[in-house]
Amino acid sequence: MLRAGRGDTAAIQALTGRKLPRLLALASRMLGDASEAEDIAQEACLRMWRQAPTWRPGAAKFDTWLHRVTLNLCYDRLRRRRETLTDTPPDREDPAPRADAVLLSKGTAQRVNAALQALPLRQREAIVLCHYQELGNIEAARTLGISVEALESLLSRGRRALRAALADLAAR
């Protein structure tokens, strides 16, 4: 980060290459839309580059800060979704199954993603940070600004809701 702050192009490219996939995954899981996730990940990278010249090592853990920035950008996008009013309803996806959706694994992934999107926001954040972003409980709690006990409670409720929503998959 310090090298990137000094304008080292190689450091900027290395940081982006290392962090962008995780930012994309986080935003994608939070928003459920790949296109919006790309926008969020790019904006998070821009903020990372802008912050680089003033970054102070030890003030905050870099990954925690970057995850927090990405989550905040996701919150903003989710808020805008609720506020968007239009005169015409959005185009609907054809309900007929697509050829590639016939595959069981794709269907299962879609079901899991839909169940994840249906969780309350804080539970979804906890599940995404711990299970998909592979953060430890302490780091995830720090990212969310809550205690480890509160994080564990969110994880427990989120897992229980996912188990209930996906119970038929376990019976297969």
Side-chain angles (χ1 to χ4, degrees), residues 77-151:
R77 189 63 59 105
L78 290 169
R79 254 185 249 115
R80 269 188 257 138
R81 278 185 190 171
R82 285 185 301 217
E83 296 170 0
T84 304
L85 302 174
T86 62
D87 292 335
T88 58
D91 290 338
R92 300 274 181 214
E93 184 176 330
D94 184 3
R98 298 185 334 229
D100 60 346
V102 175
L103 299 172
L104 180 61
S105 63
K106 178 127 176 111
T108 301
Q110 289 172 341
R111 287 274 317 280
V112 170
N113 192 41
L116 187 62
Q117 293 300 312
L119 289 176
L121 184 61
R122 295 298 277 181
Q123 290 176 22
R124 184 177 350 142
E125 290 171 342
I127 296 286
V128 168
L129 288 174
C130 290
H131 292 284
Y132 291 98
Q133 296 301 112
E134 299 176 353
L135 296 184
N137 285 6
I138 294 170
E139 189 174 357
R142 199 175 298 136
T143 300
L144 294 174
I146 59 176
S147 68
V148 174
E149 293 79 16
L151 174 80

Side-chain angles (χ1 to χ4, degrees), residues 10-170:
I12 292 171
Q13 289 175 343
L15 255 177
T16 303
R18 226 177 333 184
K19 302 301 177 186
L20 187 61
R22 289 183 60 96
L23 299 178
L24 274 169
L26 173 60
S28 184
R29 298 245 184 251
M30 289 302 297
L31 300 172
D33 182 300
S35 176
E36 284 187 326
E38 287 176 11
D39 291 346
I40 295 299
Q42 287 175 6
E43 178 62 27
C45 284
L46 284 173
R47 291 185 184 194
M48 174 177 59
W49 300 329
R50 281 189 219 126
Q51 181 69 25
T54 59
W55 184 258
R56 292 185 334 239
K61 188 171 180 195
F62 176 71
D63 282 346
T64 302
W65 173 81
L66 192 56
H67 279 92
R68 181 79 261 160
V69 167
T70 305
L71 283 173
N72 286 343
L73 291 168
C74 288
Y75 296 150
D76 292 345
R77 189 63 59 105
L78 290 169
R79 254 185 249 115
R80 269 188 257 138
R81 278 185 190 171
R82 285 185 301 217
E83 296 170 0
T84 304
L85 302 174
T86 62
D87 292 335
T88 58
D91 290 338
R92 300 274 181 214
E93 184 176 330
D94 184 3
R98 298 185 334 229
D100 60 346
V102 175
L103 299 172
L104 180 61
S105 63
K106 178 127 176 111
T108 301
Q110 289 172 341
R111 287 274 317 280
V112 170
N113 192 41
L116 187 62
Q117 293 300 312
L119 289 176
L121 184 61
R122 295 298 277 181
Q123 290 176 22
R124 184 177 350 142
E125 290 171 342
I127 296 286
V128 168
L129 288 174
C130 290
H131 292 284
Y132 291 98
Q133 296 301 112
E134 299 176 353
L135 296 184
N137 285 6
I138 294 170
E139 189 174 357
R142 199 175 298 136
T143 300
L144 294 174
I146 59 176
S147 68
V148 174
E149 293 79 16
L151 174 80
E152 289 171 351
S153 175
L154 287 170
L155 286 170
S156 177
R157 287 181 293 175
R159 289 178 188 135
R160 210 171 18 253
L162 287 173
R163 252 191 310 283
L166 303 169
D168 62 309
L169 292 178

